[in-house]
Amino acid sequence: MAAVIALAVVGGWLIVAFPFPNLAVVPGVAMVGLAIALRPRFGRLDPELEVLDRDQAPELFGLIDEVATAVGAPLPDVVGVDGAINAYAGTVGLRRRKVLCLGLPLWGSLPAGGRVALLGHELGHFVNNDPRRGLLTQPVFTMLGSAADLFRPVRTNVGAGLVEMLGDALGRAFQWVVSRVLFATYLLLVAVALRDSQRAEYLADDLAGRAAGTTAATEFLDILLITESLELAVRRETRAGHGPDRWRSALAESRVTRADQLPLLRQLSVRDGASLFAAHPPTGVRRQMLAGRAWQDPSVALSEARMERIDAELGREYDRFRRTVNWSG
């Protein structure tokens, strides 16, 4: 980031330091343009996120408040839903607004304890120093990759004379070297940063156990091992005109059916999910780590009646998801 700022400052100085016209303007404009191209991107709200407000979903926001208090996390500035079997927490923009997104198929399918565990895990990312969310560390995941892409050589001088062809070849060779050096540095930084990112996932799992209890938190991690079955069940029930109540029943049936396979799925996740460049540790290892820690009782309880009220608040969003599934064929 300091190098990008230096590019902008020196480039600006070259533009204004000498009377115009002056050849110094050319490298000055080039340096400012390069600084703009390499500027850090701090993200923005997903345009597909359906933002909720407290008046629209008071029960959901009340549950989020309780879980945030239990794990010692700040409240999100934006809460929304989308149609993915996923959930995420992040920070966007220079103001570092905290965003919590709940994927409706996952949220609607989870039992009460699983929902508390999901909130505890995602809100936990606001307090566990995840490098993907830091003001100074988040650009590591974008800036040098953008720089390597910018310097990637592209053949532009076809059919020219010998001198032009030689100049083009030398220019592309220089670009290739710079691009590869930047990309290698990018890979090194990302590999280092993702070690802390995986550590943040373990800490978030621990906070999920603090909020929902170890039993519910480990069961939630097991559910993440069968998301393909969950997706098929949600689509089947949705096309049949059923809502979250049937999604939960279908998930419970799938868990019973695949109970004997869960130990194998945990081992398989370790084999397939272990990587230097994975943002998340293997789910099987996460579950083993959480189960090996001191056992925790739930600090936030979600009753069935309250869960139904929360689903009623999200009725319009569930209907929109149902239409999307039906239209997708």
Side-chain angles (χ1 to χ4, degrees), residues 34 43 62 71 105 128 250 254 286 304 314 319:
L34 183 59
V71 301
N128 61 12
S254 179
R286 290 169 57 188
E304 290 291 330
L314 300 175
D319 288 340

Side-chain angles (χ1 to χ4, degrees), residues 162-243:
L162 180 62
V163 175
E164 289 83 357
M165 293 175 62
L166 180 60
D168 180 62
L170 290 175
R172 285 189 290 110
F174 173 76
Q175 287 180 286
W176 186 89
V177 172
V178 173
S179 177
R180 292 304 183 271
V181 170
L182 288 170
F183 187 68
T185 309
Y186 167 70
L187 289 181
L188 175 63
L189 286 177
V190 168
V192 172
L194 288 177
R195 302 286 66 70
D196 263 352
S197 178
Q198 292 191 7
R199 171 181 173 274
E201 292 297 327
Y202 291 125
L203 294 174
D205 289 336
D206 187 58
L207 293 173
R210 183 188 304 178
T214 302
T215 299
T218 51
E219 289 177 353
F220 167 67
L221 291 174
D222 280 340
I223 290 172
L224 297 182
L225 293 169
I226 56 172
T227 51
E228 291 183 2
S229 299
L230 175 58
E231 181 177 9
L232 291 174
V234 167
R235 290 189 173 275
R236 182 186 69 240
E237 297 299 332
T238 300
R239 287 171 179 158
H242 302 306

Side-chain angles (χ1 to χ4, degrees), residues 26-259:
V26 177
V29 171
M31 294 174 73
V32 171
L34 183 59
I36 292 174
L38 299 181
R39 71 191 185 279
R41 271 77 168 179
F42 296 108
R44 60 184 63 185
L45 280 180
D46 186 340
E48 296 186 3
L49 182 70
E50 298 180 42
V51 178
L52 307 173
D53 59 57
R54 192 171 288 271
D55 293 334
Q56 175 186 353
E59 289 283 359
L60 174 61
F61 275 80
L63 178 62
I64 292 172
D65 293 347
E66 291 179 30
V67 175
T69 300
V71 301
L75 294 176
D77 302 301
V78 179
V79 176
V81 296
D82 65 12
I85 301 187
N86 193 13
Y88 65 82
T91 52
V92 298
L94 284 174
R95 292 187 295 162
R96 313 312 294 153
R97 289 194 298 167
K98 297 176 178 61
V99 180
L100 172 65
C101 173
L102 305 174
L104 284 175
L106 178 61
W107 175 259
S109 302
L110 290 174
R115 294 189 181 191
V116 175
L118 171 62
L119 290 177
H121 177 93
E122 298 302 339
L123 293 173
H125 280 302
F126 294 142
V127 295
N128 61 12
N129 297 319
D130 190 334
R132 292 172 297 170
R133 294 161 177 81
L135 179 63
L136 295 179
T137 54
Q138 188 182 34
V140 166
F141 296 91
T142 58
M143 287 180 63
L144 287 181
S146 300
D149 216 28
L150 186 65
F151 279 96
R152 186 176 56 190
V154 178
R155 181 183 293 275
T156 57
N157 202 355
V158 180
L162 180 62
V163 175
E164 289 83 357
M165 293 175 62
L166 180 60
D168 180 62
L170 290 175
R172 285 189 290 110
F174 173 76
Q175 287 180 286
W176 186 89
V177 172
V178 173
S179 177
R180 292 304 183 271
V181 170
L182 288 170
F183 187 68
T185 309
Y186 167 70
L187 289 181
L188 175 63
L189 286 177
V190 168
V192 172
L194 288 177
R195 302 286 66 70
D196 263 352
S197 178
Q198 292 191 7
R199 171 181 173 274
E201 292 297 327
Y202 291 125
L203 294 174
D205 289 336
D206 187 58
L207 293 173
R210 183 188 304 178
T214 302
T215 299
T218 51
E219 289 177 353
F220 167 67
L221 291 174
D222 280 340
I223 290 172
L224 297 182
L225 293 169
I226 56 172
T227 51
E228 291 183 2
S229 299
L230 175 58
E231 181 177 9
L232 291 174
V234 167
R235 290 189 173 275
R236 182 186 69 240
E237 297 299 332
T238 300
R239 287 171 179 158
H242 302 306
D245 54 340
R246 279 296 303 157
W247 299 354
R248 290 193 294 275
S249 299
L251 174 61
E253 294 167 5
S254 179
R255 290 179 60 193
V256 170
T257 302
R258 306 192 67 175

